[in-house]
Amino acid sequence: MEQHRTRPAQYGPRRSGAPLPAQGRGGAAAAGPPMGRVAGRPVGRPGQPARPAPGAGSPVARIVRALRGMPNPRLTGLGSGLFCAAVMTLLGFLDGLLFGASLTVYGVLFVPVSLLTALWVRRGDLLTAPVVVPIAFAVGLVPVAESGDGLGGRLMGLVTALATEAGWLYGGTLVAGSVVIVRRIRLVRRRAAARNRPSA
């Protein structure tokens, strides 16, 4: 017995190899690329804050940003010496008023002042920073050191303070010298790169 077709003729015969539309191939193909990757790069989900770059919140990065935000004067050799001596003398008086002339507090405060002096001296006077720093340390010790009767007693107290706080003196001078060496190396490399750069 002949069976009649139930599919209308205008649609034509069904082809077994015809591809199905995207909706019929399953949810994975129709949904597009997986959440979290666009063009091979990971992205965050909608409404989720972007993650900071690696190292952006590290202590070193915060210190670098703080140093860049500080004022950046360029002191001459004489200016750096006057700056360091004036600051250490002021800190010596404050140490005597607030901390009872503590030599340890004075030595601790000497290290950042040495660092700033080496950072703020101009390039042409870099070598003066390690020289003026220990002089400023001795000048600022005058209001802090124990003084006896007369000029001889004051000198003896100053020499004693220098001897007992030699570690802080050497430490601050070493910090200033290290900063000067790094700045000097960068300056020499920059000049060499400028000389090797081809002229237009």
Side-chain angles (χ1 to χ4, degrees):
M1 183 177 180
E2 184 179 1
Q3 297 180 355
H4 297 281
R5 296 179 180 177
T6 59
R7 180 178 179 82
Q10 64 268 22
Y11 291 102
R14 181 186 298 274
R15 290 178 294 177
S16 59
L20 294 175
Q23 293 82 358
R25 289 199 299 267
M35 183 65 67
R37 284 189 174 273
V38 175
R41 294 178 299 176
V43 296
R45 295 182 178 274
Q48 182 178 2
R51 296 181 179 179
S58 62
V60 177
R62 289 196 294 266
I63 292 174
V64 171
R65 286 196 297 267
L67 289 177
R68 288 180 178 178
M70 293 180 60
N72 192 20
R74 282 292 171 254
L75 303 174
T76 62
L78 179 60
S80 62
L82 293 176
F83 163 77
C84 191
V87 172
M88 292 311 301
T89 303
L90 178 61
L91 291 177
F93 279 111
L94 291 177
D95 183 19
L97 292 175
L98 301 177
F99 301 101
S102 173
L103 294 177
T104 303
V105 174
Y106 179 82
V108 171
L109 295 175
F110 172 67
V111 177
V113 174
S114 302
L115 175 63
L116 292 178
T117 303
L119 287 175
W120 288 351
V121 66
R122 65 183 185 179
R123 297 171 183 173
D125 298 324
L126 281 176
L127 298 180
T128 60
V131 178
V132 301
V133 161
I135 297 175
F137 183 86
V139 171
L141 270 179
V142 174
V144 181
E146 296 181 0
S147 59
D149 296 333
L151 181 60
R154 286 185 174 275
L155 289 177
M156 186 60 66
L158 182 60
V159 171
T160 304
L162 286 173
T164 55
E165 302 302 317
W168 293 112
L169 174 61
Y170 294 149
T173 307
L174 181 62
V175 168
S178 302
V179 173
V180 166
I181 291 173
V182 172
R183 290 187 59 190
R184 183 66 180 176
I185 293 174
R186 292 181 60 186
L187 178 61
V188 171
R189 289 181 177 178
R190 191 176 302 171
R191 289 177 178 176
R195 284 195 302 266
N196 297 332
R197 187 179 305 163
S199 58

